[in-house]
């Protein structure tokens, strides 16, 4: 993750050599961006951040302005843990121990949590729910497709953060006593579907959408070989119809761990050569990008056009 820019707090304006009028003027010109009442950040640095990095900075800003110890949860805790989620987030999520239905104030939405079942963890200087509670909360209160993204992520080691994989048993054990029976069922179904073989947030979200739209489940990270040896691993593969599915996220063309010393343009060329080799084995290849996942119906149409089969009805045996 990009190193986040420093927050400029209005209460510290004297230390920055600025007056409140200076802050307001610089904010009006775009030199500073006010991301929360009394909290500013350099405008150029802010606009260079990815949306999820901007959200992470909003969580930091909320932590600076909350008047009492605050436990961040759901999307906000996920952003601190480095657990990916789907969709652009604006509201910061925190917990309240008062069972008054929760309340929102100044961009912070508070959710009730029973103190008896709550354990807070200090992470990067903030109090957050633990990884298990964080992903279970997301599974309980988001759609099935969105829930699979964080669940898949925590089932594999997070080498960037130095965190071990969580087991499905540990996740299931965290349900009891913390959720309604309906929420517990939703969580259990999502945990059962989750798979550590999914290689990225986009792959996880796409796989969940396939299930929602009734397609047969594919094999993941399917090894493809030809006469010259290993071609590579397809993100998805449907054996019965010999169709390989590939999610094209930007990571494989930008991140060093994917580039492995290559330039982005060479990575594009290599990916095209790899696809040609897969097609030469007699397999079809269907590709999609993030915009296909975020546009309702687009992935479904692509898969149907490629001949990916739907699940059989139970009555068909």
């Amino acid at each position: 993750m990009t190193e986040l820019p420093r927050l400029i707090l209005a209460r510290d304006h004297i230390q920055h050599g600025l007056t409140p009028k200076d802050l307001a003027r610089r904010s009006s010109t775009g030199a500073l961006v006010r991301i929360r009442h009394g909290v500013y950040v350099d405008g150029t640095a802010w606009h260079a951040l990815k949306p999820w990095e901007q959200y992470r900075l909003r969580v930091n800003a909320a932590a600076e302005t909350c008047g009492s110890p605050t436990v961040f949860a759901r999307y906000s805790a996920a952003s601190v843990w480095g657990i990916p989620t789907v969709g652009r987030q604006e509201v910061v999520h925190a917990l309240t121990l008062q069972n008054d239905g929760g309340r929102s104030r100044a961009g912070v939405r508070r959710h009730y949590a029973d103190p008896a079942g709550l354990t807070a963890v200090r992470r990067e200087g903030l109090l957050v729910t633990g990884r298990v509670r964080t992903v279970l909360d997301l599974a309980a209160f988001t759609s099935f497709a969105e829930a699979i993204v964080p669940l898949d992520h925590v089932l594999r080691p997070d080498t960037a953060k130095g965190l071990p994989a969580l087991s499905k048993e540990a996740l299931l054990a965290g349900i009891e006593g913390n959720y309604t029976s309906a929420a517990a069922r939703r969580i259990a179904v999502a945990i059962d579907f989750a798979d550590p073989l999914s290689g990225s947030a986009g792959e996880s979200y796409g796989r969940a959408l396939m299930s929602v739209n009734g397609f047969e489940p594919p094999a993941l990270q399917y090894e493809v070989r030809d006469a010259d040896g290993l071609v590579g691993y397809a993100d998805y593969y449907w054996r019965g119809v010999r169709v390989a599915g590939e999610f094209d996220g930007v990571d494989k063309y930008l991140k060093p761990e994917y580039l492995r010393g290559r330039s982005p343009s060479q990575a594009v060329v290599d990916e095209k050569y790899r696809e040609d080799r897969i097609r030469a084995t007699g397999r079809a290849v269907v590709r999609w990008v993030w915009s296909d996942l975020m546009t309702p119906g687009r992935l479904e149409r692509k898969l149907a056009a490629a001949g990916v089969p739907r699940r059989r009805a139970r009555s068909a045996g």
Side-chain angles (χ1 to χ4, degrees), residues 238-254:
W238 289 269
R239 294 183 177 88
V241 291
R242 292 174 60 80
V243 172
E246 293 283 283
F247 168 69
D248 266 344
V250 298
D251 287 351
K252 66 173 67 175
Y253 305 116
L254 295 177

Side-chain angles (χ1 to χ4, degrees), residues 153 156 159-160 197-203 221 233 235 247-264 266-268 270-271 274:
H153 178 82
R156 53 183 186 267
T159 55
L197 289 179
S198 196
S200 69
E203 290 180 31
Q221 311 306 327
Y233 296 87
D235 296 335
F247 168 69
D248 266 344
V250 298
D251 287 351
K252 66 173 67 175
Y253 305 116
L254 295 177
K255 286 191 173 182
E257 58 265 37
Y258 291 95
L259 290 174
R260 297 190 298 276
R262 301 171 298 170
S263 66
Q266 185 59 51
V268 172
D270 290 348
E271 188 65 18
R274 173 177 169 273

Side-chain angles (χ1 to χ4, degrees), residues 4-308:
L4 297 178
R6 180 171 57 94
L7 295 176
I8 299 171
L9 306 179
R11 66 173 182 257
D12 297 334
H13 65 90
I14 294 176
Q15 298 175 22
H16 296 296
L18 300 169
T19 67
K21 288 185 177 180
D22 291 331
L23 292 173
R25 184 174 62 254
R26 294 190 185 189
S27 178
S28 67
T29 64
L32 294 177
V33 173
R34 196 186 81 160
I35 60 174
R36 186 174 176 80
H37 180 71
V39 185
Y40 300 81
V41 67
D42 178 81
T44 300
W46 172 259
H47 293 298
L49 296 175
K50 302 289 193 302
W52 55 90
E53 294 168 337
Q54 292 179 344
Y55 180 69
R56 175 68 179 82
L57 203 58
R58 291 186 190 278
V59 177
N60 280 1
E64 288 287 354
T65 56
C66 289
S68 59
T70 299
V71 179
F72 294 98
R74 302 193 187 186
Y75 295 104
S76 301
S79 75
V80 176
W81 283 109
I83 297 171
T85 57
V86 173
R88 189 184 184 103
Q89 304 301 323
E90 297 290 342
V91 175
V92 173
H93 294 264
L95 298 181
T96 177
L97 305 184
Q98 298 178 354
N99 193 7
D100 55 5
R103 58 188 181 275
S104 300
R105 183 183 301 164
V108 177
R109 183 171 298 158
R110 295 187 180 272
H111 310 276
Y112 172 70
D114 186 343
L118 178 64
T119 300
V121 177
R122 187 170 294 279
R123 181 80 181 174
E124 298 184 1
L126 303 179
L127 290 174
V128 297
T129 52
R131 283 200 297 162
V132 170
R133 178 63 180 261
T134 298
V135 297
L136 294 185
D137 280 354
L138 290 171
F141 302 112
T142 65
S143 70
F144 171 81
E146 291 180 18
I148 298 306
V149 175
L151 286 171
D152 278 359
H153 178 82
V154 298
L155 289 178
R156 53 183 186 267
D158 187 336
T159 55
K161 295 284 188 178
L163 298 169
L166 297 177
S167 67
K168 289 193 176 185
E169 291 74 19
L171 294 175
L172 290 169
I175 297 175
E176 186 174 0
N178 292 316
Y179 303 94
T180 65
S181 57
R185 286 193 295 271
R186 290 196 300 273
I187 296 170
V189 168
I191 292 173
D192 181 63
F193 183 83
D195 195 323
L197 289 179
S198 196
S200 69
E203 290 180 31
S204 297
Y205 191 54
R207 192 176 95 262
L209 290 178
M210 293 171 198
S211 181
V212 169
N213 287 306
F215 289 101
E216 282 189 7
L220 302 182
Q221 311 306 327
Y222 182 81
E223 182 180 275
V224 179
R225 290 183 172 271
D226 62 11
D228 295 323
L230 179 66
V231 177
Y233 296 87
D235 296 335
Y236 315 89
Y237 188 66
W238 289 269
R239 294 183 177 88
V241 291
R242 292 174 60 80
V243 172
E246 293 283 283
F247 168 69
D248 266 344
V250 298
D251 287 351
K252 66 173 67 175
Y253 305 116
L254 295 177
K255 286 191 173 182
E257 58 265 37
Y258 291 95
L259 290 174
R260 297 190 298 276
R262 301 171 298 170
S263 66
S265 60
Q266 185 59 51
V268 172
V269 171
D270 290 348
E271 188 65 18
K272 178 63 170 63
Y273 175 63
R274 173 177 169 273
E275 180 176 330
D276 288 343
R277 286 181 66 187
I278 293 175
R279 291 185 185 278
T281 66
R283 297 174 171 92
V285 178
V286 56
R287 310 186 78 94
W288 56 87
V289 296
W290 266 113
S291 61
D292 296 318
L293 299 181
M294 304 309 290
T295 303
R298 189 179 290 177
L299 177 63
E300 182 180 11
R301 291 190 293 272
K302 277 180 172 281
L303 295 177
V308 174

